[in-house]
Amino acid sequence: MMQGRDGNVILEVKNFNIDYIKKGKPPAHAVGNVSFKLHEGELLGVVGESGCGKTTLMLGITRLLPPAGRITHGKVLFKNTDWMKLSEPQMREVRWRDISFIFQGAMNALNPVKTVGDQIIEAMLLHLPISKVAAQERLIELLDMVGIGSNRKDNYPHQFSGGMRQRAMIAMALACMPSIVIADEPTTALDVMIQAQIIELLMQLRDKLQTAVMLVTHDLGVVAEMCDSVVVMYSGVVAEYANVDTIFNTPLHPYTQELLKAIPDLNRPNEKLRSIPGYPPQLDNLPKGCRFSPRCPKAIERCFLEQPETLEITPGHFTSCHLVEPK
Ligand code: SF4
């Protein structure tokens, strides 16, 4: 089975830029020139500190940005169609059918006054050419697949535990058999045991259905366990992008290196968790040079003057740092 980066490219994000525009303020450059490819069945982690643009990027890809968000440049190619060129009604067809979502905190995403079963059926009837009877049959399959049990289909979201609600959200995301699922911090609101179960479930489903997953997270442990490849974002730009082994074994960008140092070492439980000194820059007042330069322990003079380009250092390993040149 082709998996990870060996399958066909299913989504290509090219030179994607998003600004937030607020009256009387300079534009905030929330996403700058982001490019990456997602392959069939690949689990791609998108990581970085909160506020680094991960969620904005996902909302931009699916054209669900809040009113202040503007896509100023870039393409999102899905099977040769640029989603940026579709009308809003066409884009509504794309969402759920081709790409769907699992959000953090399923309670907010599920409708509290409808049963879980009815909500999943509704999503199918709205987006698939499917009869009500067929949708009901698929609902039973889906609930079994995510480990809820079809006997709970007439329960309301508040009758489920946090972990069960997240499973229901996963069933809903898979209801229309999309090629891609965005999972945005899907385990953040859950306790550690349940987090592990949800991660295990996502991995099993990916293996079974060959759905590509873009996993947005700040948890590098989850990335190491689950992902085939990783986009490391810093302040709206891609610091580094490679397969998961490369990111963890030979990180090239100083930000990735600092992030990895910040992971607690399980073999040395008394060691203090390191955090990276300083804060990311204001997006409406970016440094002239590299966005990481005010915090970078390796910065040289050029870093404060010129923005580094994103370069492919070895095949499939991209980074944007003046200190790293292609081999
Ligand atoms: Fe650090 Fe300079 Fe590389 Fe930016 S370009 S990450 S400041 S060394």
Side-chain angles (χ1 to χ4, degrees), residues 77-322:
L77 300 169
F78 175 82
K79 297 181 180 166
N80 295 325
T81 300
D82 185 357
W83 283 348
M84 298 304 114
K85 297 213 166 113
L86 297 184
S87 65
E88 183 45 34
Q90 286 172 318
M91 206 52 216
R92 272 202 291 273
E93 282 176 28
V94 162
R95 294 184 207 117
W96 295 105
R97 187 195 62 198
D98 296 323
I99 187 162
S100 67
F101 316 84
I102 303 164
F103 298 103
Q104 153 178 186
M107 198 59 193
N108 304 330
L110 292 166
N111 186 337
V113 298
K114 286 188 178 166
T115 68
V116 166
D118 281 352
Q119 293 184 56
I120 297 174
I121 286 181
E122 219 170 76
M124 284 190 267
L125 293 178
L126 208 62
H127 299 283
L128 290 179
I130 192 172
S131 70
K132 203 164 179 190
V133 173
Q136 275 161 345
E137 281 168 13
R138 181 153 170 76
L139 170 70
I140 309 286
E141 266 173 47
L142 279 164
L143 292 180
D144 284 339
M145 193 160 67
V146 299
I148 289 182
S150 47
N151 56 331
R152 308 274 317 255
K153 70 180 170 41
D154 296 326
N155 284 179
Y156 289 87
H158 74 267
Q159 293 173 295
F160 281 1
S161 65
M164 284 299 217
R165 281 199 291 269
Q166 203 55 314
R167 284 171 191 267
M169 213 35 242
I170 293 172
M172 186 127 133
L174 297 173
C176 303
M177 294 169 275
S179 316
I180 306 168
V181 170
I182 294 174
D184 191 350
E185 304 278 7
T187 62
T188 301
L190 305 172
D191 74 44
V192 175
M193 278 281 287
I194 309 292
Q195 280 186 16
Q197 290 170 11
I198 295 291
I199 285 165
E200 183 62 35
L201 174 65
L202 280 173
M203 289 172 75
Q204 282 169 6
L205 293 174
R206 185 281 292 266
D207 290 348
K208 191 167 167 186
L209 306 174
Q210 279 297 287
T211 313
V213 181
M214 288 194 275
L215 174 74
V216 176
T217 180
H218 63 273
D219 188 336
L220 282 170
V222 168
V223 170
E225 199 176 327
M226 285 184 78
C227 293
D228 303 303
S229 46
V230 189
V231 170
V232 179
M233 286 189 72
Y234 182 77
S235 181
V237 295
V238 173
E240 192 156 1
Y241 166 42
N243 69 48
V244 73
D245 292 337
T246 305
I247 290 285
F248 281 87
N249 296 327
T250 48
L252 294 175
H253 195 283
Y255 176 63
T256 316
Q257 292 166 354
E258 292 299 307
L259 266 189
L260 292 174
K261 281 188 209 157
I263 304 182
D265 185 340
L266 296 180
N267 299 320
R268 282 178 284 171
N270 295 327
E271 196 178 36
K272 267 198 176 163
L273 174 63
R274 274 185 53 142
S275 62
I276 305 172
Y279 297 96
Q282 298 283 349
L283 295 171
D284 59 0
N285 186 19
L286 290 168
K288 183 168 179 232
C290 171
R291 294 191 185 192
F292 191 48
S293 56
R295 297 170 84 185
C296 180
K298 296 186 175 169
I300 54 174
E301 202 183 336
R302 185 179 173 201
C303 304
F304 297 96
L305 304 170
E306 275 174 50
Q307 292 178 20
E309 254 182 87
T310 304
L311 299 174
E312 189 168 14
I313 307 303
T314 55
H317 188 177
F318 297 80
T319 193
S320 46
C321 173
H322 290 311

